[in-house]
Amino acid sequence: MTDEKEQWLVDLLRRLEDDDGKKTEKQIRIIEAAVEVFSEKGFAAASTSEIAQRAGVAEGTIFRHYKTKKDLLLSIAGPVAAKLFAPFLMRDFARLLELPYDRVEDFLRAILRDRLEFARKNMKLIKILVHEVPFQPELLAQVKELFTHIVVTRVEKAILHFQAQGVLKEIPPWRVIRSTVSQFVGMIVFHVFLAPDFPFDEEEEIERTVDILLHGIAGRPS
Amino acid sequence: MTDEKEQWLVDLLRRLEDDDGKKTEKQIRIIEAAVEVFSEKGFAAASTSEIAQRAGVAEGTIFRHYKTKKDLLLSIAGPVAAKLFAPFLMRDFARLLELPYDRVEDFLRAILRDRLEFARKNMKLIKILVHEVPFQPELLAQVKELFTHIVVTRVEKAILHFQAQGVLKEIPPWRVIRSTVSQFVGMIVFHVFLAPDFPFDEEEEIERTVDILLHGIAGRPS
Amino acid sequence: MTDEKEQWLVDLLRRLEDDDGKKTEKQIRIIEAAVEVFSEKGFAAASTSEIAQRAGVAEGTIFRHYKTKKDLLLSIAGPVAAKLFAPFLMRDFARLLELPYDRVEDFLRAILRDRLEFARKNMKLIKILVHEVPFQPELLAQVKELFTHIVVTRVEKAILHFQAQGVLKEIPPWRVIRSTVSQFVGMIVFHVFLAPDFPFDEEEEIERTVDILLHGIAGRPS
Amino acid sequence: MTDEKEQWLVDLLRRLEDDDGKKTEKQIRIIEAAVEVFSEKGFAAASTSEIAQRAGVAEGTIFRHYKTKKDLLLSIAGPVAAKLFAPFLMRDFARLLELPYDRVEDFLRAILRDRLEFARKNMKLIKILVHEVPFQPELLAQVKELFTHIVVTRVEKAILHFQAQGVLKEIPPWRVIRSTVSQFVGMIVFHVFLAPDFPFDEEEEIERTVDILLHGIAGRPS
DNA sequence: GATGAATGAGTTTTCATTCAT
DNA sequence: TATGAATGAAAACTCATTCAT
């Protein structure tokens, strides 16, 4: 990994932490209210006056902290994009390659468990991000940049490593990524967004999902 | 299948066909323009005046045909929801159960091929549907109703049938559905929406995707 | 009475009768619907499309018969104004002066009875007239012209005649007119518009009202 | 009078006074402009843009103070309804019953004088009220409630009291009320609305009107 | 004569943003 | 820093009127 890329990562992580610091109480209330309203009605249909009302501040106060309504959106949705990919940015991720090869399943389970938890805690933020990405070029660029960066610098390497060990099929890495993301996203969307009341044993769910990802849904030809 | 359910299906299909009939030329231009603008900016951020302009009609003309802007949206997004599930409503689908058991892969490929084609032809409509469903209770209800109906009356039966034949693993049907939908949606989203310029051999893509769905991404422990 | 004035009266009466002749069935339905809608919502708040709908004709049909919406109003409200004053225009009215002086009460009763009946049969039309007169200069002029004409040419003469006979107090005729109109209008408004369900013996009501007009509400100082 | 009723009265009077307090200058200008335009064209035909223009404010400003155009109307017409009946709500009114019986005429004169003055000062407001009451159920209900309340709790008692003293004829109170209202309204409508330029000696006018009300228009049979 | 789709000017209403306090 | 009244541009929607059929 080049110095430049390391720097980028360090900056990002620092920004994410700053995020929660140095904010007045009103600013926090504004963000919270904005998250609520944006996720309920969508960005375009949300009105700053409703946000102000729910935050218990004057309309003008919003514009003291955020130049425009879109600024407010970006200050909310931007960090989520980064946090979404955070696990892959952590130094821990690199150690993955040192794992004994038969622990890959554990790793996939850990990732899924972590992102499921994250999605549950950040439902509204994720809803906002997903809905606004297609309409906000800045967000789209940010997400693409993050995703590409991560995939290129880390995930792809890991996949190739596991393929060399024979743990994964010899198929193009992007296909592995796509399938994994598909299964994981499908599982998370179902449990968090579509059927949040569906009762389930989380650990078993995770295990089954990883199992299907690895071994498919076909029966064993006897 | 009960008569009542058959009737529902017949009604729906007829409605879908009527859809394209008996429309004045201006009405068609309005719909086309609305699809464009809605998919570009999202429903809330789209203005009826821009739609009118692109359709080359007076703004009032829109409101002669559609009582409100939301009416216009629903008249566009409603049918898409139905068409999205159309293949499962066709009589042909029932014949699936008569297939020789080793042809299940062919069937999955056919479905994926068909929906990929549909997505490509209806990109904008699907984008609109997906984006507005969470904000329009009417749409949500419609989609849920369709999905539930189809799953309950048809797909589940097919899955149980194939499981009895040993073609599919003995896991809860909803898990089969979720995994299949996840893989298929992931593949379609990637090729149609995220990377439409990615060069690929469609038939191979389909085959690989079905293969991963059925047999997973794990390597063969030699 | 001068020839000119006689001519005016003759013209008016003829016009009133023509009114109901030579009208197509659709025209009649339009008028009826317009009366309904105008009286329910007021002229300005009434829409031609609602009138067309209630009349069961196409919107364009209204404009084939009436150049503008206001035209439609005037064709409805104008005649009512004339009919409102009709009794004073009739030849019979002139004979009033030949009545024995002690029959004045009978005459007042007859007028009140007649106008009460008229109001009951033309509630909606009168409502329209009253509400639109202040906003439609043409109507206002028409009403003023009619009222002045009648008062000057007929009623005033009658009052002076009765005063000469000692049947009426020696007060300015306009004061007699005002008091009479006030009492009569008050009575009609009450029974027809304000409390149409108030049960009452019409003949007694009329008698009492005329009695109060003539002799007041004061008790007899014993 | 029960406590509850007293409370109602107190509330109403306080509301009427508040009415003129705590209003920004722009708000006052909006009200004034609205009164002008509503009285000139009627509510439905008045446009908020004209009101804004005459008030010298932006159109949006109107809607900051009044949620809808109808809100603006009600905030204007509502209080008028109350003020119209105010004299009967005052504590002074109760003292009427203590007057020497031969002062009833003075009392009627005072009422008439007061309401004549009120009408002159509030021509436009009264015009608006009268014209909109039939089309705004809220207003109608308010007026009915006020009128009924007053009549039942106060006026009727006074009439019975005077009848017991022999000052008024033994006729049903509602008939006394109707005749009085008719005569007074007739007089006020004439002098304020129909013929505002008619030159007259106000005191004499009032006296004559009360005289006719009390003793009628019949001549003294000599 | 009758229709009803189309118009476009006008209406009420919303709302992000500014600014004096 | 915070406020909230004020703005005005733009939004959704209405409707009397026209005109080709």
Side-chain angles (χ1 to χ4, degrees):
Chain A
M1 194 175 299
T2 70
D3 275 16
E4 194 197 342
K5 276 173 185 169
E6 278 296 341
Q7 192 49 48
W8 183 80
L9 193 154
V10 168
D11 284 355
L12 191 72
L13 293 177
R14 200 190 50 221
R15 242 187 301 140
L16 288 180
E17 272 155 36
D18 279 7
D19 209 47
D20 301 321
K22 65 170 182 188
K23 277 216 182 88
T24 76
E25 189 234 339
K26 296 215 171 192
Q27 221 168 333
I28 291 168
R29 290 220 310 273
I30 288 170
I31 296 270
E32 283 170 354
V35 168
E36 290 247 316
V37 182
F38 285 161
S39 74
E40 275 172 30
K41 319 200 159 177
F43 172 72
S47 85
T48 51
S49 88
E50 184 174 357
I51 294 169
Q53 223 172 325
R54 289 212 207 173
V57 303
E59 279 207 63
T61 308
I62 292 177
F63 290 91
R64 182 151 296 283
H65 294 287
Y66 305 90
K67 237 163 63 75
T68 67
K69 187 184 158 194
K70 191 185 268 187
D71 250 41
L72 178 55
L73 170 69
L74 294 180
S75 87
I76 285 171
V80 191
K83 283 180 191 158
L84 200 58
F85 297 111
F88 306 93
L89 298 172
M90 299 300 159
R91 285 181 193 276
D92 290 349
F93 187 85
R95 291 200 218 117
L96 168 62
L97 302 186
E98 299 155 19
L99 284 176
Y101 70 91
D102 55 349
R103 281 292 115 95
V104 175
E105 293 186 31
D106 292 347
F107 172 71
L108 286 171
R109 280 191 207 105
I111 288 273
L112 181 51
R113 193 180 296 117
D114 176 66
R115 292 299 81 187
L116 177 60
E117 172 75 0
F118 176 78
R120 241 200 287 268
K121 280 196 183 144
N122 296 279
M123 269 186 71
K124 289 174 184 173
L125 288 168
I126 292 173
K127 196 177 167 195
I128 293 171
L129 181 68
V130 168
H131 274 91
E132 299 309 327
V133 155
F135 304 123
Q136 313 291 343
E138 304 93 321
L139 278 182
L140 183 56
Q142 212 173 325
V143 170
K144 272 189 178 164
E145 158 80 3
L146 268 166
F147 186 78
T148 312
H149 185 79
I150 285 160
V151 165
V152 169
T153 63
R154 306 205 156 189
V155 178
E156 215 155 55
K157 265 178 215 161
I159 291 169
L160 293 171
H161 172 82
F162 289 124
Q163 286 178 332
Q165 292 191 327
V167 179
L168 292 180
K169 263 188 195 148
E170 293 283 349
I171 51 179
W174 62 261
R175 222 187 274 280
V176 174
I177 294 169
R178 202 178 74 198
S179 286
T180 310
V181 169
S182 296
Q183 284 294 357
F184 284 12
V185 166
M187 187 269 213
I188 292 170
V189 164
F190 178 72
H191 281 299
V192 177
F193 296 90
L194 295 185
D197 300 327
F198 187 94
F200 71 112
D201 174 333
E202 186 170 313
E203 280 308 312
E204 199 198 331
E205 248 326 75
I206 290 168
E207 203 176 311
R208 294 280 170 244
T209 304
V210 169
D211 180 68
I212 288 177
L213 171 64
L214 290 173
H215 308 111
I217 60 171
R220 310 269 154 125
S222 54
Chain B
M1 190 174 299
T2 69
D3 275 15
E4 194 197 343
K5 275 173 186 167
E6 278 296 338
Q7 193 48 49
W8 184 79
L9 194 155
V10 168
D11 284 356
L12 192 72
L13 294 176
R14 201 191 48 223
R15 241 189 301 139
L16 289 180
E17 273 155 37
D18 278 7
D19 209 47
D20 302 319
K22 64 170 182 188
K23 277 216 183 85
T24 77
E25 187 233 340
K26 300 221 168 189
Q27 220 169 333
I28 291 168
R29 290 221 310 273
I30 288 170
I31 296 266
E32 283 169 355
V35 168
E36 291 246 314
V37 182
F38 285 161
S39 73
E40 275 172 30
K41 319 203 158 175
F43 172 71
S47 86
T48 50
S49 88
E50 183 174 357
I51 294 170
Q53 222 170 329
R54 288 213 207 171
V57 303
E59 212 172 338
T61 307
I62 292 177
F63 291 93
R64 169 159 288 278
H65 293 289
Y66 305 91
K67 246 164 64 74
T68 65
K69 187 183 155 192
K70 189 185 268 185
D71 247 42
L72 178 54
L73 170 68
L74 294 180
S75 87
I76 286 172
V80 190
K83 283 182 191 158
L84 199 59
F85 297 111
F88 306 93
L89 298 173
M90 300 300 159
R91 287 179 191 275
D92 290 350
F93 186 86
R95 291 202 218 117
L96 168 63
L97 303 184
E98 299 156 18
L99 284 177
Y101 70 92
D102 55 349
R103 280 293 114 95
V104 175
E105 292 185 32
D106 292 348
F107 172 70
L108 287 170
R109 279 190 208 108
I111 288 272
L112 181 50
R113 193 178 297 118
D114 176 65
R115 292 298 83 188
L116 177 61
E117 171 76 0
F118 176 77
R120 239 199 290 270
K121 280 197 183 144
N122 296 278
M123 270 186 70
K124 289 175 184 174
L125 289 169
I126 292 173
K127 195 177 167 195
I128 294 171
L129 181 68
V130 168
H131 274 90
E132 299 310 327
V133 155
F135 302 123
Q136 314 291 345
E138 303 94 321
L139 277 183
L140 184 57
Q142 211 173 326
V143 170
K144 272 189 178 163
E145 156 81 3
L146 268 166
F147 186 78
T148 312
H149 186 79
I150 286 161
V151 166
V152 168
T153 63
R154 306 207 156 189
V155 177
E156 215 155 55
K157 265 178 213 160
I159 291 168
L160 294 170
H161 174 80
F162 290 123
Q163 287 178 333
Q165 292 191 327
V167 180
L168 292 178
K169 265 189 194 149
E170 292 283 350
I171 52 180
W174 61 263
R175 221 188 275 280
V176 176
I177 294 170
R178 201 178 74 198
S179 287
T180 309
V181 169
S182 296
Q183 285 294 356
F184 285 11
V185 165
M187 186 270 213
I188 291 170
V189 165
F190 178 72
H191 282 300
V192 176
F193 296 91
L194 295 184
D197 300 327
F198 187 94
F200 72 112
D201 173 333
E202 186 169 313
E203 279 308 311
E204 198 198 331
E205 232 352 56
I206 289 169
E207 203 175 310
R208 294 280 169 244
T209 304
V210 169
D211 180 67
I212 289 177
L213 170 64
L214 289 172
H215 307 110
I217 60 172
R220 310 267 155 125
S222 53
Chain C
M1 194 174 299
T2 69
D3 274 17
E4 193 197 344
K5 275 172 186 169
E6 278 296 340
Q7 192 49 47
W8 183 82
L9 194 155
V10 168
D11 284 355
L12 192 71
L13 294 177
R14 200 191 48 223
R15 243 187 301 139
L16 289 181
E17 273 155 36
D18 279 5
D19 211 44
D20 301 321
K22 62 167 182 187
K23 276 214 183 87
T24 76
E25 189 234 338
K26 296 216 169 188
Q27 219 168 336
I28 291 169
R29 290 220 311 272
I30 289 170
I31 295 269
E32 283 169 355
V35 168
E36 290 247 315
V37 183
F38 285 162
S39 75
E40 274 172 30
K41 321 203 157 176
F43 172 71
S47 84
T48 50
S49 86
E50 184 173 357
I51 294 170
Q53 222 172 324
R54 289 212 207 173
V57 302
E59 280 207 66
T61 309
I62 292 176
F63 291 91
R64 182 151 296 283
H65 293 288
Y66 305 90
K67 235 163 64 76
T68 66
K69 186 183 159 194
K70 191 184 266 185
D71 249 41
L72 177 55
L73 170 69
L74 295 180
S75 87
I76 286 171
V80 191
K83 282 181 191 157
L84 199 59
F85 297 112
F88 306 94
L89 298 172
M90 300 297 157
R91 285 178 194 276
D92 290 350
F93 186 86
R95 292 202 216 115
L96 168 65
L97 303 184
E98 299 155 20
L99 284 175
Y101 69 92
D102 55 351
R103 281 292 115 99
V104 175
E105 295 187 29
D106 293 346
F107 171 70
L108 286 171
R109 278 190 209 108
I111 288 274
L112 181 51
R113 192 179 298 117
D114 176 66
R115 292 300 81 189
L116 177 61
E117 172 76 358
F118 176 77
R120 241 200 288 268
K121 280 194 182 146
N122 297 277
M123 270 187 71
K124 290 175 184 174
L125 289 168
I126 292 173
K127 196 177 166 194
I128 294 171
L129 181 68
V130 168
H131 274 90
E132 299 309 329
V133 154
F135 303 123
Q136 314 289 346
E138 303 92 320
L139 277 182
L140 183 57
Q142 210 173 328
V143 170
K144 270 188 178 163
E145 158 81 3
L146 267 166
F147 185 78
T148 314
H149 186 81
I150 286 160
V151 165
V152 169
T153 62
R154 306 205 154 186
V155 178
E156 213 154 56
K157 265 178 212 161
I159 291 168
L160 294 170
H161 172 81
F162 289 125
Q163 286 179 333
Q165 292 190 328
V167 179
L168 292 179
K169 265 189 194 150
E170 294 282 348
I171 51 180
W174 62 263
R175 221 187 274 281
V176 175
I177 294 169
R178 202 179 73 200
S179 288
T180 310
V181 169
S182 295
Q183 285 293 357
F184 285 11
V185 166
M187 187 270 213
I188 291 170
V189 164
F190 179 74
H191 281 298
V192 177
F193 296 90
L194 296 184
D197 299 327
F198 188 94
F200 70 112
D201 174 332
E202 184 169 315
E203 279 309 311
E204 199 197 331
E205 241 336 69
I206 291 167
E207 202 174 311
R208 293 282 170 242
T209 304
V210 169
D211 180 68
I212 288 177
L213 170 65
L214 289 173
H215 308 110
I217 61 172
R220 310 271 155 122
S222 54
Chain D
M1 193 174 303
T2 70
D3 275 16
E4 193 198 342
K5 274 171 185 169
E6 278 294 341
Q7 193 48 48
W8 184 80
L9 193 154
V10 168
D11 284 355
L12 192 73
L13 293 177
R14 199 190 49 221
R15 241 187 303 140
L16 289 180
E17 271 155 38
D18 278 7
D19 209 46
D20 301 321
K22 65 168 181 187
K23 277 219 182 80
T24 78
E25 188 234 340
K26 299 222 169 187
Q27 218 169 336
I28 292 168
R29 290 220 311 272
I30 289 169
I31 295 267
E32 283 170 354
V35 168
E36 290 245 316
V37 183
F38 285 161
S39 75
E40 276 172 29
K41 319 202 158 176
F43 172 71
S47 86
T48 51
S49 86
E50 183 172 358
I51 294 170
Q53 221 170 330
R54 287 213 207 172
V57 302
E59 214 172 337
T61 307
I62 292 176
F63 291 92
R64 168 157 289 278
H65 293 289
Y66 305 91
K67 245 164 62 75
T68 65
K69 187 182 155 193
K70 190 185 269 185
D71 246 42
L72 177 55
L73 170 69
L74 294 181
S75 88
I76 286 172
V80 190
K83 282 182 191 156
L84 200 60
F85 297 111
F88 305 93
L89 297 174
M90 300 299 159
R91 285 178 193 277
D92 290 350
F93 186 86
R95 292 204 217 114
L96 167 64
L97 302 184
E98 299 155 20
L99 284 177
Y101 70 92
D102 55 350
R103 281 292 113 98
V104 176
E105 294 186 32
D106 292 346
F107 171 72
L108 286 171
R109 279 189 208 107
I111 288 274
L112 181 51
R113 192 180 297 118
D114 176 66
R115 292 299 82 188
L116 178 60
E117 172 76 359
F118 176 78
R120 240 201 288 269
K121 280 195 182 146
N122 297 278
M123 269 186 73
K124 289 174 185 174
L125 289 169
I126 291 172
K127 196 178 166 194
I128 293 171
L129 181 68
V130 168
H131 273 91
E132 299 309 328
V133 156
F135 302 123
Q136 316 289 345
E138 304 94 319
L139 277 182
L140 184 57
Q142 211 172 328
V143 169
K144 271 189 177 163
E145 156 82 3
L146 268 165
F147 186 78
T148 313
H149 186 81
I150 286 160
V151 165
V152 168
T153 64
R154 305 204 154 191
V155 177
E156 214 154 56
K157 265 179 213 160
I159 290 168
L160 294 170
H161 173 81
F162 290 125
Q163 286 179 333
Q165 292 190 329
V167 179
L168 292 178
K169 264 187 193 152
E170 295 282 350
I171 53 179
W174 61 264
R175 222 187 274 279
V176 176
I177 294 169
R178 201 178 75 197
S179 288
T180 309
V181 169
S182 295
Q183 285 293 356
F184 284 10
V185 166
M187 187 267 212
I188 291 170
V189 165
F190 179 73
H191 281 299
V192 178
F193 296 90
L194 296 183
D197 300 326
F198 188 94
F200 71 112
D201 174 334
E202 183 169 314
E203 278 309 312
E204 201 198 328
E205 237 342 63
I206 289 167
E207 204 174 309
R208 293 282 169 243
T209 303
V210 169
D211 180 69
I212 288 177
L213 171 65
L214 289 172
H215 308 109
I217 60 171
R220 311 269 155 123
S222 55

